[in-house]
């Protein structure tokens, strides 16, 4: 039974197509397993995901099922942990991205910065529109802060994109876009930038490229 399970796991790995290797003697006592190892920013290896075949628990619990041919069969339990330890996986990702989460993972995707209090209503309108599209977006309505300070605060808070809006943007229905790394992308219509952000999120791109 163990040999048959190993054969099936090897077949699954071969069909998947990624390189793999056997780690002799590392199987669990109840059956062989597939371990997924990832490397952090310092090239240290960490075991995260695992898929294990368990023959023992079905026997101990007396589990059976009726096969299509009417016979009674013993099932195999598959233990499946995609992330392993959530804390460890989160730590690896945080270290890997150095705290600069790609847009699709970022808890702070967009900050809207009005240049003057008279444009706060337009900033809130933008926030509501993009929020409805599932974008994580905030507005800085602190009237006591300068424009430069608002932009700098958003960059330090690691917002992927900062939308600066004023008279020109409100009149034309646009936003002026820059990044946390102070790359200025320029002016986009609200519809255009929304489409680009949705594409960036849904494709799970690890670089914040507006294409």
């Amino acid at each position: 039974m163990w040999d048959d399970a190993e054969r099936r796991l090897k077949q699954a790995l071969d069909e998947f197509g990624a390189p793999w290797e056997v780690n002799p003697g590392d199987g669990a006592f109840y059956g062989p397993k597939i371990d997924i190892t990832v490397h952090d920013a310092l090239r240290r290896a960490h075991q995260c995901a695992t898929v294990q075949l368990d023959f023992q628990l079905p026997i101990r619990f007396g589990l059976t099922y009726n096969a299509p041919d009417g016979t009674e069969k013993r099932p195999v339990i598959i233990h499946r942990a995609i992330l392993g330890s959530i804390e460890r996986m989160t730590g690896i990702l945080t270290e890997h991205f150095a705290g600069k989460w790609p847009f699709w993972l970022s808890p702070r995707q967009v900050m809207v910065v009005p240049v003057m209090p008279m444009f706060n209503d337009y900033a809130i309108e933008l926030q509501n529109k993009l929020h409805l599209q599932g974008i994580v977006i905030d507005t800085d309505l602190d009237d006591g802060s300068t424009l430069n300070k608002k932009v700098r605060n958003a960059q330090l808070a690691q917002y992927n994109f900062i939308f600066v809006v004023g008279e020109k943007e409100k009149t034309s229905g646009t936003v002026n876009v820059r990044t946390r790394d102070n790359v200025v992308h320029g002016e986009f219509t609200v519809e255009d930038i929304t489409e680009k952000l949705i594409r960036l999120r849904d494709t799970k791109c690890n670089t914040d490229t507006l294409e």
Side-chain angles (χ1 to χ4, degrees):
M1 185 178 291
W2 186 290
D3 291 340
D4 182 54
E6 282 191 345
R7 180 182 61 79
R8 291 177 182 271
L9 289 180
K10 290 177 180 178
Q11 181 181 355
L13 289 169
D14 287 337
E15 290 178 359
F16 182 69
W20 61 275
E21 60 184 31
V22 175
N23 191 6
D26 198 42
F29 71 93
Y30 47 75
K33 61 179 181 174
I34 296 173
D35 288 333
I36 310 298
T37 301
V38 299
H39 293 85
D40 62 19
L42 299 179
R43 304 307 300 165
R44 295 173 298 189
H46 300 271
Q47 178 190 324
C48 282
T50 184
V51 179
Q52 303 171 336
L53 297 185
D54 183 353
F55 304 103
Q56 303 302 320
L57 283 182
I59 295 174
R60 292 177 62 184
F61 286 110
L63 302 180
T64 60
Y65 69 95
N66 293 322
D69 61 4
T71 60
E72 196 173 75
K73 303 284 188 181
R74 180 82 67 190
V76 174
I77 292 178
I78 299 176
H79 298 274
R80 176 177 174 266
I82 297 302
L83 297 180
S85 164
I86 296 295
E87 293 82 2
R88 178 173 55 187
M89 189 67 189
T90 301
I92 292 171
L93 285 174
T94 302
E95 188 176 66
H96 178 74
F97 291 116
K100 292 187 174 184
W101 298 93
F103 185 80
W104 69 279
L105 276 177
S106 179
R108 294 174 171 175
Q109 295 177 330
V110 178
M111 173 64 81
V112 185
V113 176
V115 299
M116 295 177 64
M118 61 190 302
F119 303 115
N120 286 357
D121 59 339
Y122 182 55
I124 295 172
E125 179 185 339
L126 289 172
Q127 181 184 23
N128 292 335
K129 282 184 177 180
L130 271 73
H131 179 74
L132 290 175
Q133 299 300 321
I135 303 297
V136 182
I137 180 170
D138 298 308
T139 56
D140 188 340
L141 305 181
D142 182 2
D143 298 339
S145 295
T146 65
L147 172 61
N148 287 340
K149 184 177 181 181
K150 289 181 179 181
V151 171
R152 183 58 179 159
N153 287 343
Q155 291 173 333
L156 291 176
Q158 298 302 329
Y159 282 89
N160 299 69
F161 297 101
I162 298 101
F163 292 176
V164 178
V165 296
E167 179 66 39
K168 179 182 177 183
E169 287 78 21
K170 182 177 180 179
T171 302
S172 58
T174 61
V175 295
N176 202 290
V177 182
R178 66 180 64 199
T179 72
R180 58 189 167 194
D181 296 318
N182 212 32
V183 176
V184 178
H185 287 289
E187 197 171 354
F188 294 86
T189 65
V190 175
E191 292 74 17
D192 191 22
I193 193 63
T194 301
E195 180 182 329
K196 291 179 182 296
L197 293 182
I198 291 174
R199 186 185 308 119
L200 195 60
R201 179 195 64 196
D202 293 349
T203 57
K204 294 181 171 57
C205 181
N206 286 339
T207 57
D208 292 344
T209 304
L210 296 178
E211 295 181 349

